[in-house]
Amino acid sequence: IGSCNHPLVCSLCSLKLRILEKDSHCIYCKTPQERVFFSSNKYRKYESFQTYGDIAGPDLIYDDDGEAFFDKAGNGIQHHEKMLALRELRCGIPDCEGNNSPFASKPKLDEHLLKNHKLHLCKLCWEFRRLFPMEQIRYTSTQLQVHIEKGDKKEGMRGHPMCKFCKKRYYNDDLLYKHLNKDHETCHICRRQ
């Protein structure tokens, strides 16, 4: 819930916009939202929450990264913990010691996944796909190759296109097109190469 009082905005999507996209506008009316509140009470209004700047009242938890408050009522504490966990650099493989504490960096996570599980994260998806670390898919070498070349139909993705000139892969067609226009000659009339 933001100052415009639009209800029913998913907390996960709102946090992704605020943290990953650096976009703090309401998804409905595009009003800038300095802070938002997440509550299981869909009828609660923005004005009913008591805050003093970044200081929350006793019934709220402040999330620094999302510049958001979670209402402790209902399952708010557990929900906030779940949203924090999605952002951590953890292994993600059930029953693995790599889930006990977050890794200090992505290279450390990559090293653990490869050494202990023979798994990889897609570098292009990591950089461009707007997902938190624990939402990123872990792939075997074969799965990663298929993902890069052909994509994931269930994810609605057709693979990462490759520049036929320099053989480098790009996240999507738009980024490939930008690369082609910037780094390779194009016909100024029809845009063909």
Side-chain angles (χ1 to χ4, degrees):
I1 303 166
S3 59
C4 56
N5 279 311
H6 284 118
L8 306 176
V9 177
C10 165
S11 60
L12 178 60
C13 293
S14 180
L15 286 171
K16 282 181 183 180
L17 281 172
R18 296 177 76 79
I19 297 169
L20 300 175
E21 299 284 339
K22 307 290 186 230
D23 181 353
S24 60
H25 293 84
C26 172
I27 63 168
Y28 293 115
C29 67
K30 307 300 180 210
T31 302
Q33 304 293 321
E34 187 176 334
R35 286 176 193 76
V36 293
F37 296 87
F38 301 119
S39 175
S40 58
N41 180 349
K42 63 183 178 182
Y43 300 107
R44 195 155 179 198
K45 297 291 183 193
Y46 181 86
E47 299 78 21
S48 71
F49 295 99
Q50 294 192 0
T51 59
Y52 311 95
D54 293 344
I55 299 171
D59 60 335
L60 299 171
I61 305 166
Y62 185 64
D63 184 299
D64 288 321
D65 293 335
E67 295 179 321
F69 292 94
F70 285 78
D71 187 355
K72 289 182 183 177
N75 65 350
I77 295 171
Q78 295 84 2
H79 185 65
H80 180 245
E81 289 169 357
K82 181 180 174 185
M83 294 297 105
L84 287 174
L86 286 174
R87 296 179 244 164
E88 293 179 339
L89 294 172
R90 293 185 186 265
C91 171
I93 305 302
D95 301 320
C96 177
E97 291 178 8
N99 289 317
N100 293 341
S101 61
F103 290 92
S105 65
K106 182 176 179 292
K108 295 281 186 194
L109 173 61
D110 288 335
E111 180 183 319
H112 168 84
L113 287 171
L114 185 58
K115 181 180 173 186
N116 293 290
H117 308 290
K118 295 183 176 33
L119 294 174
H120 308 269
L121 294 163
C122 175
K123 290 178 176 129
L124 290 168
C125 287
W126 184 271
E127 184 177 352
F128 294 102
R129 193 165 182 206
R130 295 304 181 210
L131 296 175
F132 289 128
M134 291 302 294
E135 295 178 293
Q136 296 280 349
I137 299 170
R138 279 79 171 138
Y139 298 99
T140 65
S141 294
T142 304
Q143 290 170 332
L144 181 61
Q145 197 62 35
V146 169
H147 163 79
I148 289 170
E149 292 176 7
K150 298 180 182 168
D152 301 321
K153 288 182 183 173
K154 66 181 179 184
E155 296 286 322
M157 190 248 184
R158 298 178 296 144
H160 298 300
M162 182 171 63
C163 173
K164 293 185 181 2
F165 297 105
C166 58
K167 307 297 184 210
K168 182 178 175 188
R169 292 209 177 258
Y170 289 85
Y171 178 69
N172 59 22
D173 291 333
D174 290 340
L175 292 176
L176 173 60
Y177 183 76
K178 285 179 185 176
H179 159 74
L180 290 171
N181 281 323
K182 179 180 175 249
D183 297 335
H184 302 292
E185 291 186 34
T186 59
C187 171
H188 70 282
I189 297 170
C190 69
R191 299 270 186 225
R192 275 202 224 167
Q193 298 198 335

